[in-house]
Amino acid sequence: MRTGAAAATTGCFHETALYDSDDGLLAVAVPFVEGGLAAGEPTIVTLTDGNAALVRDALGGDRGVTFVPAADQYTRPATAIRTYRELFASLVAEGAHQIRVVGDVPHPGAGGRWEEWVRYEAAVNVAFDAFPVWGLCPYDTRLVGDDVLADVLATHPHIATGDGHRANAAYADPVEVVRRRPPAPLPDGEPTTSLHDPTPADARRAAMAAAVHAGLDDERIDDLLLVASELVTNAIVHGARPVTVDVWARADAVVLAVGDAGPGPGDPFAGLLDPGDAIGGRGLWMAHQVCAEITHHPTGNGDGSGFTVSALIANRT
Amino acid sequence: MRAPERATGVLRPGGGYGPCDHAAWGYASDDERAATAAAWLADGLRRGQRAMYIAEAGVDELAAELARHAPELEDAIAAGALVVASTTDVYDLGTPIDAATQLAGYDDAVERAIADGFDGIRVAADITPLVADPGRRDAHLRWEQIADRYMTTRPLAPICLYDTRRLVGIDAIVCAHPLRDADHAAFAVYGSGRHRTSIAGEVDRFAADPFTAALDAIPRTDTSVDITALSFLDAHAAWLLASELERRREGGAALAVTGTVRALVRRMWDLCGLDATLLESDAVGGDRR
């Protein structure tokens, strides 16, 4: 049986907590963790180092809690979803009735671009719903602005406070949240190279030239070739010609934008969730596994046609 | 004999090649065919190989077209160092090619050449009539793979010429040659040992059909596959390669992956969730020659 606020529910119980002090964080996080330990539920803390230290001190040690550094878990939204799902599946197979996770999802002021992570916060409502997961996502109101705060409230159906738990009236359909995001701007400036209707091999060669120019590390070059090839293949196979590729070589980074004349994927979470055996979507998913910063841009003139994906591949600093 | 290094990649017509090299070249005119054959055969003769030209025409006509491009070949024909033959003298076009029979014929010719003091045989063969019928192509692809394993240790160096005006859809056959024309530069699946395949180059979804056919035609007698020179494969190609390795392992004729597996290949394997044990060279005993 599930325990705590999520007791009578099934699937993912996605909750946020807004705080403005260390004590405010601990007032929510510590009872959450203690409750999990008392019930014998797998309990995972995926907080930033500072917040994890606060919780560990308050608990008086690890006490059987799994501590995972947020920087390791939240490298890329699509990877975080995949690895969490694998972990949840194995814990359920071992007999867990509920899994508790408290995590610092990256956001402005705490190590991440919101454009990518707001899609994550919306998508997990769907992606984790196959598992009895109680996910708690605390946000520090000293760091986040009103616009991010509004998105946090729109993507979490539940709110925890020091006084208890309540349903969140501001929660919105996650599909709609993603659909109505304003289109992100494409990269600035003239591209270093532009290709019209290239083959994936042409795109790999252009990407390779840019990678050498940018001084990318070998591992990142592999990532770039992989992303260029998969995105162009995806555009040719599932989009519509003409397919365009623009490449910007910068110091220690390459930005790649692949566009086509099609309407883009119908699924607003395309790229974030493993498409399994579905036709299409694998190329986008692969690119999302590799890139921390990858954005979908509708590029049409209101007629629903035109779709571009831009991806940044940068040396690790 | 100790196997010499074999040349791989895009063929340079007229370049100097060794006694075990194996090439494919698409020609767009009869004159280009004759010029390419003449250059290949003259190179072999200079290196002490016996030479053989096989194409679809009378022998006098074939001899004349060679001499137009390399006058010295006339003397080689007179001296018996260069043999000219019509396709039907060498190949039975009535049935799909039988690899064992054909290989025995070439092996005889190689041994006779060596007994006569030559360093093996250089062949220029127009394969257009052999593969014009799509029904013959599967058997021909398997023949090319089997012949190519033989060439890794015996001095037989053929160039397979084909008419690009008449043939489409023979990419898998061309990609079974370690040396190829520039239209087939991207990838190759060929022999690098009597029982070893090498895969070289870049494979993506748009090469899926020839790649699948090439993998399927790897001789069942091969025990290992070297992917050191496989520089890129996309998710689709990784899945195709893994499926073939899995099928052979389940069929009791596993191909052990040998050589260096590039980081990009491993990364693609991981991202696609493919079975990592398929890339372990020690999973089965392979050909370590």
Side-chain angles (χ1 to χ4, degrees), chain B:
Chain B
M1 75 180 250
R2 189 184 154 74
E5 275 295 301
R6 303 174 81 205
T8 60
V10 175
L11 177 80
R12 294 169 288 107
Y17 288 101
C20 296
D21 280 326
H22 187 198
W25 187 265
Y27 61 85
S29 70
D30 294 357
D31 197 54
E32 184 188 354
R33 178 184 77 175
T36 310
W40 181 259
L41 296 172
D43 180 49
L45 288 163
R46 277 194 298 276
R47 281 152 199 277
Q49 289 193 290
R50 178 172 273 168
M52 200 172 178
Y53 184 37
I54 307 160
E56 208 176 21
V59 290
D60 293 344
E61 204 180 322
L62 294 174
E65 70 179 35
L66 286 182
R68 264 204 308 282
H69 291 281
E72 74 270 26
L73 293 182
E74 220 164 355
D75 302 336
I77 293 172
L82 168 57
V83 179
V84 176
S86 295
T87 305
T88 46
D89 296 343
V90 182
Y91 297 99
D92 177 1
L93 297 181
T95 61
I97 200 160
D98 180 71
T101 309
Q102 211 66 46
L103 189 61
Y106 272 112
D107 187 46
D108 269 358
V110 166
E111 295 308 325
R112 262 186 285 119
I114 291 170
D116 292 345
F118 292 98
D119 184 13
I121 298 189
R122 188 68 75 107
V123 178
D126 189 344
I127 64 167
T128 308
L130 302 179
V131 297
D133 173 4
R136 291 179 59 91
R137 290 178 189 171
D138 186 54
H140 191 89
L141 173 58
R142 287 167 202 285
W143 150 243
E144 289 284 0
Q145 291 285 0
I146 287 165
D148 195 58
R149 302 301 179 280
Y150 172 84
M151 291 165 212
T152 61
T153 57
R154 300 304 292 151
L156 175 64
I159 188 168
C160 299
L161 301 156
Y162 65 97
D163 190 340
T164 57
R165 297 163 300 184
R166 286 175 58 193
L167 295 176
V168 287
I170 64 156
D171 295 338
I173 291 171
V174 181
C175 291
H177 294 75
L179 286 165
R180 301 156 327 274
D181 51 63
D183 287 345
H184 295 88
F187 84 95
V189 177
Y190 57 89
S192 55
R194 211 58 189 256
H195 302 289
R196 186 174 61 226
T197 296
S198 277
I199 304 177
E202 303 185 0
V203 191
D204 61 35
R205 186 187 175 118
F206 295 92
D209 288 348
F211 188 56
T212 303
L215 293 177
D216 185 58
I218 292 172
R220 292 298 184 267
T221 46
D222 274 14
T223 53
S224 65
V225 57
D226 187 317
I227 59 170
T228 304
L230 178 60
S231 52
F232 181 85
L233 84 176
D234 73 357
H236 196 81
W239 185 84
L240 291 174
L241 178 57
S243 302
E244 184 66 30
L245 293 173
E246 223 155 44
R247 196 159 40 240
R248 288 180 187 253
R249 186 162 73 180
E250 281 164 14
L255 280 174
V257 172
T258 56
T260 310
V261 180
R262 296 190 187 209
L264 184 143
V265 175
R266 283 199 191 282
R267 183 131 173 73
M268 197 55 92
W269 221 258
D270 289 346
L271 286 170
C272 296
L274 299 170
D275 181 353
T277 65
L278 293 170
L279 294 180
E280 286 168 12
S281 59
D282 297 331
V284 283
D287 178 9
R288 297 285 187 269
R289 271 177 290 172

Side-chain angles (χ1 to χ4, degrees), chain A residues 50-168:
Chain A
N51 285 344
L54 287 173
V55 169
R56 191 183 272 111
D57 284 351
L59 291 174
D62 283 11
R63 293 179 46 203
V65 173
T66 303
F67 282 88
V68 179
D72 293 351
Q73 176 60 28
Y74 299 112
T75 53
R76 297 170 289 274
T79 305
I81 289 174
R82 174 173 59 85
T83 54
Y84 267 141
R85 283 174 57 100
E86 288 166 1
L87 175 66
F88 299 157
S90 72
L91 290 171
V92 167
E94 287 164 19
H97 294 293
Q98 175 160 275
I99 301 149
R100 298 192 187 206
V101 183
V102 51
D104 278 324
V105 173
H107 54 272
R113 279 212 318 186
W114 190 236
E115 189 53 41
E116 280 80 10
W117 290 103
V118 66
R119 286 185 86 225
Y120 169 89
E121 285 284 38
V124 296
N125 291 299
V126 177
F128 294 168
D129 209 34
F131 304 101
V133 171
W134 182 0
L136 174 62
C137 309
Y139 281 84
D140 185 341
T141 56
R142 294 167 298 185
L143 297 177
V144 297
D146 288 347
D147 49 344
V148 171
L149 206 54
D151 291 334
V152 169
L153 292 172
T155 51
H156 294 79
H158 302 279
I159 296 183
T161 66
D163 302 326
H165 307 268
R166 61 182 168 82
N168 170 24

Side-chain angles (χ1 to χ4, degrees), chain A residues 1-5 28-44 59 63-65 97-101 134:
Chain A
M1 291 303 295
R2 299 177 74 163
T3 63
V28 176
V30 171
F32 177 82
V33 172
E34 292 279 16
L37 292 175
E41 295 168 355
T43 303
I44 299 148
L59 291 174
R63 293 179 46 203
V65 173
H97 294 293
Q98 175 160 275
I99 301 149
R100 298 192 187 206
V101 183
W134 182 0

